[in-house]
Amino acid sequence: MKSVVLLGATGSIGEQTLEIIEQYPERFKLVAATANHSVKALEAIVHKHDIKIVAIAESHVAAFDDRQCYSATNLDQLINDLEDDVVVVNALVGAVGLKPTMAALKRGFDVLLANKETLVVGGAVIMPLLKESSAKLIPIDSEHSALAQCLRGSRVEDVDKVVITASGGSFRDLDKAALENVTVKDALKHPNWSMGAKITIDSATMMNKVFEVIEAHYLFDLPYHKIEAVLHRESIVHGMVHFVDGNVLMHAGPADMRIPILSALEGDLIRLPYRSVFDITKIKSLSFETIDPIRYSLFDLGIAVARKEGLHTVTMNAANEVAVALFLEGKIAFNAIEEIITDCLLAFDNGYEISLDAILQLDAQVRAYVEKKYMDGE
Ligand code: MG
């Protein structure tokens, strides 16, 4: 029986993780869950799973005074106070996922990571921790779950390159000029996947694929020149590994996040039965294209930032988080997301003195810069 701590229990990945946990009560038990402002949804989880440990935004803490309740800004404390061995599912959104990931690895708890921003901003501090720890970092991301399965039993030095696929997001059929006038409602209509709002926007700008390249770099210890992304409209093939001897393994399956969630929860040793409908004869064609650097200019910019390493990934992520939030609130246009990220990369120097403090400090500075300049309409 695995005890599961679920950070971000009321989001899209959180809800699907709960579905999986509920499907295998003899295998997985929820012991703690956290949310931000979704009090009612968290209450329902608390009662259904009879959990004693929760976290919620500071202003709602009183609603859980019959439980061991933490502030959502203090998740590392929640993890530090845990008495028994657990696995931590990190389904938080944004750089806020970094500290609890570090706390869990320090405790020797496996982290099942859906929060890709953890590695985008903190890969350089996470990896040394991981080397010292007995714990594993296991991806909950369809592409990385696919790569992990293709890489099972192989040596990283035998990998020629890995390829992850991108659907192209909600505006893939629009040219760059047409993006001027798109609405939030249109942006949230992803062609293939049902996901949370932030990642759906990141998918439309292709920032999500930049994050996933960074994620692959750290997770599989591969240099950037061995990681590619291609446009694949059908979202059937999620990842592929080219080996040096000419063999290419591809992973295919339905666009259902419960599959990578289950794979992460079950680990390497077993495969639990899961009903999934995948009929290859219904798939008429599979297409693969290079990602157009002019149409998806943010992808090109993001990859250049990633390849330089250093703290600019923190700047890029913080600018993106605030810009996407402003877009979702209807305060800026879709194209302003890229403008804001470019502005911040010019305004803040890249740095190579990477520590948790340096990351958190820069993250706060960039957020403050964007909020002041773009929210006040300066
Ligand atoms: Mg993905």
Side-chain angles (χ1 to χ4, degrees), residues 161-228:
K161 66 176 181 181
V162 299
V163 182
I164 57 174
T165 59
S167 68
S170 19
F171 301 133
R172 63 189 185 184
D173 295 319
L174 301 184
D175 61 25
K176 189 119 190 168
L179 294 175
E180 285 290 335
N181 303 313
V182 296
T183 65
V184 173
K185 203 168 150 226
D186 292 336
L188 290 175
K189 282 185 208 144
H190 194 283
N192 302 342
W193 293 92
S194 162
M195 306 184 289
K198 199 251 177 188
I199 188 174
T200 303
I201 305 304
D202 285 347
S203 181
T205 61
M206 208 56 103
M207 185 50 91
N208 183 51
K209 217 45 58 176
V210 173
F211 288 174
E212 291 183 350
V213 167
I214 297 173
E215 199 184 357
H217 165 69
Y218 287 113
L219 281 171
F220 303 114
D221 195 20
L222 289 168
Y224 281 109
H225 70 266
K226 290 192 174 186
I227 308 166
E228 286 179 10

Side-chain angles (χ1 to χ4, degrees), residues 24 74 97 119 148 158 178 196 231 241 284 288 298 336 341 348 371:
Y24 303 95
N74 203 15
L119 288 173
D158 292 336
L231 200 63
V241 178
K284 297 297 172 215
F288 301 92
L298 196 52
I341 293 167
F348 290 85
E371 279 164 9

